[in-house]
Amino acid sequence: MGTTLATGMFFFADCLISSTDLSLKTLYFCVMINDKDRALKIAELLLQVKAVKLQPNEPFTWASGMKSPIYCDNRITLSHPKVRTHIRQMMSEAVIENFGKPDVIVGVATGAIAIGVLVAQELGLPFIYVRSSAKGHGRQNLIEGAFEAGQEAVVIEDLISTGGSSLKAVDSLREAGIKVKGLTAIFTYGFESAVSNFNNAECAYTTLTDYTTLLEKALASNYIEKKQLTLLREWRMNPENWQK
């Protein structure tokens, strides 16, 4: 796992890496999009139903106080049956293509519970979900649903930013004896911190689409103007200090 590859360049979705110092382990845990057409279609649907909004000239303010030209709420896709069905099918395919069929599908509360249930139903698998914190009453569960130690799981997420909440769920599952094969999400901003965090946690992940593909689709469909691309790309490279 620690062997260095020959010098070259590899492109995995939002992750451009020089292989001069690239180990096989880093390569394995990088963000992957296997199907460009699928990624463009998902990006189109997210823009169409306004699950993702781009406003580089009138940025949003996140709960953290950070300014952002993008706002993503993939729960909106659940209100659109055709979009919901397409995402369910594509997410299920991505799970099998990247990780094989697990014993159980896991959703991350609360945004990914519904899509996780849809994927589990599509694949005919049990479903459980991980809370952000244990309940303060009753059985005080952190993981809800029936499972057994030793089972293999794929985690479902709606969105990856830094990966913090996703990997917290992965840690909880591992502590409970569940073998996490990987994680599949609808969308990622493609932050370098997310790639690093997943790599450090040794958790493989894949997404249906990403920020770069979204910008490509947004420009092609005249959702944004070419002159706005610079602002949008600058944010992705340095979100904490963007427009300061």
Side-chain angles (χ1 to χ4, degrees):
M1 293 292 284
T3 305
T4 301
L5 300 176
T7 302
M9 300 300 289
F10 295 85
F11 185 66
F12 290 80
D14 271 334
C15 188
L16 184 62
I17 302 175
S18 171
S19 68
T20 305
D21 300 311
L22 181 65
S23 69
L24 288 175
K25 179 177 175 182
T26 305
L27 178 63
Y28 180 68
F29 293 122
C30 187
V31 182
M32 295 179 289
I33 287 182
N34 297 336
D35 189 324
K36 182 65 173 180
D37 290 336
R38 178 167 65 192
L40 285 168
K41 181 60 178 179
I42 295 295
E44 176 186 346
L45 294 175
L46 295 181
L47 290 168
Q48 177 183 309
V49 301
K50 297 181 174 60
V52 173
K53 293 183 178 181
L54 294 169
Q55 295 181 188
N57 299 323
E58 298 179 23
F60 302 94
T61 301
W62 286 1
S64 63
M66 187 171 75
K67 296 290 184 181
S68 169
I70 182 172
Y71 186 79
C72 180
D73 184 357
N74 288 326
R75 292 170 295 186
I76 291 174
T77 62
L78 299 170
S79 300
H80 301 269
K82 290 183 179 180
V83 174
R84 181 181 70 211
T85 297
H86 186 77
I87 290 176
R88 181 195 77 211
Q89 293 170 340
M90 295 302 100
M91 184 79 81
S92 300
E93 288 182 11
V95 167
I96 300 302
E97 287 172 5
N98 290 281
F99 308 115
K101 195 168 185 177
D103 299 312
V104 61
I105 293 295
V106 183
V108 179
T110 58
I113 291 178
I115 187 63
V117 170
L118 292 172
V119 171
Q121 183 67 22
E122 181 79 5
L123 296 177
L125 292 172
F127 174 79
I128 61 177
Y129 71 90
V130 184
R131 292 175 171 273
S132 58
S133 59
K135 286 193 299 186
H137 60 281
R139 294 186 296 171
Q140 298 184 330
N141 290 345
L142 183 60
I143 302 173
E144 297 286 4
F147 66 92
E148 297 178 5
Q151 285 186 310
E152 295 185 333
V154 172
V155 179
I156 301 298
E157 263 287 23
D158 60 331
L159 170 68
I160 294 174
S161 52
T162 64
S165 59
S166 305
L167 292 172
K168 182 180 177 182
V170 169
D171 286 342
S172 297
L173 292 166
R174 288 171 171 170
E175 289 172 4
I178 295 175
K179 299 177 181 178
V180 178
K181 301 186 76 174
L183 180 148
T184 300
I186 297 174
F187 182 77
T188 178
Y189 296 120
F191 294 148
E192 290 182 8
S193 58
V195 176
S196 176
N197 289 338
F198 273 88
N199 185 50
N200 291 337
E202 297 190 352
C203 181
Y205 72 111
T206 185
T207 65
L208 296 187
T209 194
D210 57 28
Y211 188 71
T212 297
T213 306
L214 184 82
L215 295 188
E216 180 182 341
K217 190 63 185 180
L219 183 62
S221 59
N222 296 317
Y223 186 98
I224 58 173
E225 299 176 2
K226 191 172 183 178
K227 63 183 180 181
Q228 295 176 306
L229 277 178
T230 300
L231 271 177
L232 290 162
R233 287 169 175 163
E234 285 176 350
W235 173 79
R236 216 291 300 275
M237 297 305 295
N238 190 5
E240 291 84 3
N241 297 310
W242 186 70
Q243 288 199 344
K244 284 188 177 180

